[in-house]
Amino acid sequence: MRRPLLDAALLAQARQTPGVTVRHGVRVTGLLTGEVRSAAPPHVTGALAQDGERWAADLVVDAGGRNSPVAGMLAGIGAEPEEHRVGTGFRYYTRYFRSPDGALPRQAPWPLCHHDSVSVLSVPGDRGTWGVSLVTSGRDQELRALADADAWHRALSLYPWFAHLGEGEPVTGVTAIGGTDSRRRRLVVDGRPLVTGIVQIGDAWGTVDPQFGTGITMGWRHAAALRDVLRLAGSDDPLRQSLLLDTFAEENLTPVWEGFAAWDRNRLAEIDAEIQGGVRTTDDADWNLQIALGSARWKDPEILRGLADVGCLLAGPQEALVKPGLAARAVELAAGEPRYAEPGPTRGELLTAVRGT
Ligand SMILES: Cc1cc2nc3c(=O)[nH]c(=O)nc-3n(C[C@H](O)[C@H](O)[C@H](O)COP(=O)(O)OP(=O)(O)OC[C@H]3O[C@@H](n4cnc5c(N)ncnc54)[C@H](O)[C@@H]3O)c2cc1C
């Protein structure tokens, strides 16, 4: 579905939930802290709103998303989170469409396919709507022309699995979104909380490459883990709350984040080489295995299902692909095959279409 529908459904549910108060249009501008004791980390006791109102809290949950200002507020009280980051991210050129009769058109066999310099992503939505994105490296200046709708449609027509998805009634122009780099923050370092009385969840904890469509699922899992941690630790053991939630994130979310971060680094390096007119080769075994799995999935239904499980966060790669021996089979099946099996243009053909020459 499109995001506003999800937001509206969540809001309606929250409004019906006893004990929940929703405050709109009020921004949090600062944190309240308790008395500082030399041996203990700073302790957050509430939040300060932009209109000057002070909210006392047993626990402050930072769910402020990708651009949450809370990390800066924490730095201000001497508890700057430890940050991990992948440099430049990708750039999305997206257009939404709808069908005249509310039915969705035939979807591509796989919603995200990688090609020379570009990945193509199609996302079915609610009420006969869908979005199509052409994803480039944030560093790819030549493909910035994809922000032009005519250039975008000429480019999309070169990808046979997706071309027909550009034939609906446009609901929007082409929207370019950059600045989507992956980052995660940690409030526990060397087994010790930097601060208590506050936790970060969802994108405020960490952002992953949006093209894989996993951010919301990771956020839900994080929120559910926080509920479990509070049941276990109670509301008056802030140190334990921080440590338990950090342990959950380290065991369950950080490996997913690291996997996507490694993918991003490799894919961006690959596109950099293509921009220079070359082809990147590497002895990074994990990356080469991922390429082999992607290529072999069309020849082996078990590999296809394993990749779908990993893509939907139902299983980790180790559990879904390596343990059942599918990884080794993929390497055999992919030998001699093109890097990306799905039909699409070379970079040169793509640039010609984008320029319209
Ligand atoms: C281009 C793009 C496409 C994506 N596509 C998908 C997808 O298909 N599937 C998927 O699962 N994920 C996708 N994601 C990721 C997904 O959007 C995020 O993972 C998810 O929205 C994170 O939820 P959140 O609640 O942590 O943060 P957010 O949804 O960002 O919500 C944070 C909220 O906090 C509010 N806020 C911030 N600061 C303050 C403040 N000081 N005071 C008060 N309120 C504040 C913000 O206004 C916002 O309402 C995509 C991301 C991008 C950028």
Side-chain angles (χ1 to χ4, degrees):
M1 72 187 81
R2 289 168 293 175
R3 177 166 179 148
L5 182 61
L6 178 62
D7 285 353
L10 281 173
L11 185 59
Q13 190 64 37
R15 283 194 168 132
Q16 289 169 17
T17 305
V20 174
T21 306
V22 181
R23 301 282 301 268
H24 276 294
V26 184
R27 297 200 76 72
V28 171
T29 51
L31 299 173
L32 307 176
T33 49
E35 192 187 322
V36 179
R37 280 169 289 143
S38 56
H43 181 67
V44 171
T45 56
L48 179 67
Q50 129 215 49
D51 58 5
E53 197 173 342
R54 298 160 75 87
W55 294 319
D58 292 330
L59 178 68
V60 172
V61 180
D62 173 17
R66 172 179 284 274
N67 298 315
S68 170
V70 171
M73 297 174 194
L74 287 169
I77 60 167
E80 187 173 1
E82 184 183 77
E83 186 166 284
H84 303 258
R85 207 175 245 284
V86 183
T88 328
F90 295 87
R91 202 167 165 86
Y92 293 74
Y93 299 89
T94 301
R95 192 162 205 190
Y96 279 87
F97 300 90
R98 72 155 65 92
S99 67
D101 58 359
L104 279 174
R106 175 174 45 85
Q107 296 299 299
W110 196 266
L112 172 66
C113 293
H114 308 296
H115 299 273
D116 202 356
S117 296
V118 160
S119 301
V120 189
L121 170 66
S122 69
V123 185
D126 53 284
R127 298 164 67 93
T129 59
W130 65 96
V132 183
S133 299
L134 298 175
V135 188
T136 72
S137 161
R139 291 192 279 261
D140 200 331
Q141 295 297 328
E142 286 176 291
L143 287 179
R144 294 222 166 178
L146 286 171
D148 174 79
D150 291 338
W152 188 92
H153 278 274
R154 286 196 298 274
L156 185 68
S157 70
L158 301 178
Y159 300 94
W161 285 10
F162 296 91
H164 67 286
L165 293 169
E167 287 162 13
E169 177 196 335
V171 183
T172 63
V174 175
T175 315
I177 300 178
T180 57
D181 48 328
S182 303
R183 187 238 335 110
R184 80 183 156 87
R185 298 195 179 105
R186 211 174 156 193
L187 292 177
V188 174
V189 175
D190 297 331
R192 291 169 58 87
L194 299 170
V195 61
T196 54
I198 185 165
V199 291
Q200 301 181 306
I201 64 168
D203 274 23
W205 170 84
T207 53
V208 290
D209 186 340
Q211 62 188 294
F212 295 102
T214 55
I216 294 175
T217 306
M218 290 174 75
W220 287 126
R221 290 177 69 187
H222 213 164
L226 175 59
R227 174 204 58 197
D228 296 343
V229 161
L230 293 178
R231 282 181 183 158
L232 211 62
S235 57
D236 33 349
D237 191 345
L239 212 63
R240 190 152 176 248
Q241 288 168 358
S242 297
L243 289 171
L244 284 178
L245 194 65
D246 178 71
T247 302
F248 167 83
E250 282 304 291
E251 288 176 357
N252 297 281
L253 303 179
T254 299
V256 179
W257 190 93
E258 295 287 359
F260 286 136
W263 190 93
D264 284 3
R265 285 191 200 97
N266 277 292
R267 176 70 173 155
L268 288 167
E270 179 175 279
I271 296 176
D272 278 348
E274 287 160 5
I275 292 172
Q276 303 297 325
V279 176
R280 176 176 181 255
T281 53
T282 170
D283 52 11
D284 181 327
D286 286 345
W287 172 249
N288 290 331
L289 177 58
Q290 284 186 51
I291 297 291
L293 284 161
S295 168
R297 72 191 147 156
W298 303 117
K299 296 181 179 169
D300 186 309
E302 276 190 275
I303 294 174
L304 189 75
R305 275 193 288 273
L307 280 177
D309 282 350
V310 174
C312 296
L313 297 182
L314 296 171
Q318 186 66 26
E319 191 187 341
L321 297 158
V322 178
K323 266 197 216 149
L326 299 182
R329 202 151 85 214
V331 172
E332 265 173 51
L333 289 171
E337 292 296 320
R339 196 165 184 69
Y340 296 114
E342 299 76 25
T346 62
R347 180 178 176 85
E349 290 162 345
L350 175 63
L351 288 177
T352 304
V354 168
R355 289 186 198 120
T357 51

